[in-house]
Amino acid sequence: MKATDYNKYPEWMKKPFNQTVIYTFHDIKKDPDNPGKYIIPNIYRFKCIDQIVVTDEDGTNARPIHIAYTNGSNPDGSIVIGDDLYFSADNFGRIVLNPKKASDHAKFMFMEYSNQNGSNPNRDESTPIIWTKQDLVVKAKTSRTDRKKRKEALLEAVQLSPYMVGVLIDVLGSISDKQKSEEEQRDLIEDIAENSPTTFLAAVKSSLTEIISTTKKAKDLGIIKNDFKKQAFISQPDDEVIWSTKGIDKKKTYELFAKFLQENPKVLKTIESKVLLEEELV
């Protein structure tokens, strides 16, 4: 085939290329031997020739065309495939295209419409995915949202009363965290607010938070027991079933038990009274 036989895109498919575009190598793996690092090929060359199906702007007249990233043609008119389009570890498995570089425009058209682009909605799905396109607008919005949420969580954390710090330690901390000083507990809660703001804010704002805290205290004090054999929360020492845990999502055990208690205030009041009594005796 001649160079002139390639890249016969319909006019309507010639996308505007006026801002930086980033394509990321699809098969980047976490390095099991080096936490926080990734396995990226030193050099990964992919096919810079492809065949795609195009249509007229109204979706009719489907037809195949050959596309390629080319650096021109040979004297006999045959195509010269570009050799400067590839993924590398040096670039962290990314190809960054700049609209100010003339050569990047040809790269952009090929990488956008190739079947190897996992972000191409019209790709031939029988072709393995080699790269995907980063949505920089969405990424920027997400980054701004994350920053706002983290700021909100940290502001909330520094204003917590000592009582609420204890409640959140019951909900978000471990058994050993309960033995720490208030200052250490506050540091832990602020770390959670910074690193997991969504989880922290949900715990602070949830009407179930204090009930979950109470149930965990009741369990620690031996007032109730989460009996795995009976698949139920039972009262102590009479072993009466309070609420069955059979068939529930184990990750949400305390949240669902708290909802049950919220809907059954007499049972909740009994547990709260016993907790207060036991805490006075300790």
Side-chain angles (χ1 to χ4, degrees):
M1 291 177 62
K2 301 291 187 182
T4 53
D5 295 324
Y6 288 88
N7 300 330
K8 292 188 174 181
Y9 299 99
E11 196 62 34
W12 70 272
M13 286 181 66
K14 295 177 181 177
K15 295 184 177 182
F17 176 39
N18 49 25
Q19 60 183 4
T20 300
V21 177
I22 300 176
Y23 300 98
T24 303
F25 184 60
H26 183 63
D27 196 25
I28 296 177
K29 296 183 176 69
K30 289 185 177 180
D31 188 339
D33 300 321
N34 294 287
K37 295 189 177 182
Y38 297 86
I39 299 173
I40 304 171
N42 286 331
I43 296 288
Y44 185 90
R45 294 189 178 276
F46 48 87
K47 293 190 302 180
C48 286
I49 292 180
D50 205 347
Q51 179 175 295
I52 65 172
V53 175
V54 301
T55 66
D56 291 342
E57 194 166 2
D58 61 3
T60 61
N61 190 25
R63 58 201 182 275
I65 66 168
H66 293 276
I67 64 173
Y69 167 56
T70 173
N71 277 345
S73 60
N74 292 307
D76 63 359
S78 60
I79 193 168
V80 175
I81 300 298
D83 61 0
D84 60 339
L85 186 58
Y86 53 83
F87 291 100
S88 71
D90 287 344
N91 286 329
F92 308 102
R94 299 183 306 169
I95 291 175
V96 181
L97 301 183
N98 183 347
K100 294 180 180 179
K101 292 178 65 175
S103 61
D104 279 6
H105 285 254
K107 294 175 182 177
F108 169 74
M109 287 297 290
F110 178 79
M111 296 197 76
E112 275 292 287
Y113 287 116
S114 173
N115 293 307
Q116 300 167 92
N117 178 10
S119 304
N120 176 4
N122 301 311
R123 62 183 296 272
D124 178 355
E125 294 185 1
S126 66
T127 302
I129 296 174
I130 304 300
W131 64 83
T132 53
K133 181 182 179 181
Q134 286 189 20
D135 192 329
L136 299 180
V137 174
V138 170
K139 189 172 182 180
K141 286 181 179 177
T142 301
S143 180
R144 285 196 298 274
T145 301
D146 288 346
R147 283 198 301 272
K148 287 175 69 176
K149 186 166 288 186
R150 188 172 291 108
K151 183 178 178 181
E152 179 187 355
L154 285 169
L155 184 61
E156 192 80 42
V158 298
Q159 299 180 81
L160 290 173
S161 67
Y163 170 74
M164 275 307 295
V165 169
V167 168
L168 291 171
I169 285 292
D170 284 330
V171 176
L172 302 175
S174 64
I175 293 175
S176 62
D177 293 328
K178 297 178 185 180
Q179 312 305 320
K180 295 178 179 177
S181 68
E182 182 190 328
E183 186 176 351
E184 289 174 321
Q185 290 180 345
R186 190 173 289 279
D187 283 343
L188 175 63
I189 292 300
E190 289 178 4
D191 284 344
I192 294 172
E194 182 174 10
N195 298 318
S196 304
T198 301
T199 300
F200 170 80
L201 289 170
V204 170
K205 295 176 181 179
S206 173
S207 60
L208 301 177
T209 297
E210 291 193 42
I211 300 177
I212 292 172
S213 174
T214 298
T215 58
K216 289 190 174 183
K217 285 178 182 176
K219 182 177 77 70
D220 292 342
L221 292 167
I223 297 167
I224 61 173
K225 177 182 178 182
N226 184 8
D227 193 309
F228 297 110
K229 287 186 178 179
K230 291 185 178 181
Q231 293 186 296
F233 274 98
I234 60 174
S235 60
Q236 297 284 280
D238 52 19
D239 283 353
E240 286 189 8
V241 173
I242 302 172
W243 181 69
S244 172
T245 59
K246 188 175 182 180
I248 68 165
D249 183 347
K250 300 302 180 187
K251 294 179 181 178
K252 296 183 177 180
T253 299
Y254 281 94
E255 180 183 341
L256 295 173
F257 183 40
K259 286 182 179 178
F260 163 79
L261 293 174
Q262 193 176 47
E263 294 165 3
N264 294 270
K266 287 185 179 180
V267 180
L268 174 60
K269 190 67 177 175
T270 299
I271 293 173
E272 286 176 335
S273 298
K274 289 182 178 180
V275 168
L276 287 173
L277 181 60
E278 287 293 331
E279 286 183 330
E280 287 176 3
L281 293 173
V282 172

